[in-house]
Amino acid sequence: MIQFLTNVIDGRILTFAIQDEASGHLRKFARNYLADLGSKYSNLIGRRDMWIFVTTKRGIPLGERFSKNPVPWDINLWAEPAVMKYIISIGKFSVMLIK
């Protein structure tokens, strides 16, 4: 992921989403890279958490949602859905979030 992101042109819109399990494969370096892009939650993502992050390559965050699994060791439980709707217009950013 980092290799791909370093080759993306500055200013491009980047969208990330996790529905199930990324805690085991999302290494500290990648979490820090996402934090450098403006994520407030990349270092908190755990087992079966939900996360959405929209930003630009320059690190201008457009929106982020995070939902924590209340009991991560229970294989039958999941976090509540993380929902975000955003509308991006050419030439200007307009972000609409649904809580």
Side-chain angles (χ1 to χ4, degrees), residues 3-83:
Q3 182 179 3
F4 171 79
L5 291 173
T6 56
N7 291 320
V8 172
I9 298 169
D10 282 352
R12 295 288 180 157
I13 298 167
L14 305 171
T15 303
F16 304 89
I18 295 173
Q19 178 185 357
D20 182 12
E21 179 50 39
S23 62
H25 297 288
L26 193 57
R27 304 286 182 232
K28 186 69 175 167
F29 184 77
R31 292 171 184 264
N32 290 339
Y33 190 89
L34 292 166
D36 290 344
L37 290 173
S39 173
K40 296 178 183 177
Y41 301 105
S42 61
N43 286 305
L44 301 177
I45 298 167
R47 186 172 189 279
R48 294 215 168 155
D49 292 342
M50 307 286 182
W51 175 70
I52 303 168
F53 180 47
V54 181
T55 189
T56 66
K57 175 65 185 293
R58 290 186 205 123
I60 302 168
L62 303 175
E64 185 172 28
R65 290 288 180 261
F66 177 68
S67 180
K68 188 81 179 152
N69 180 358
V71 188
W73 58 88
D74 187 336
I75 62 171
N76 297 312
L77 289 180
W78 298 63
E80 292 294 319
V83 178

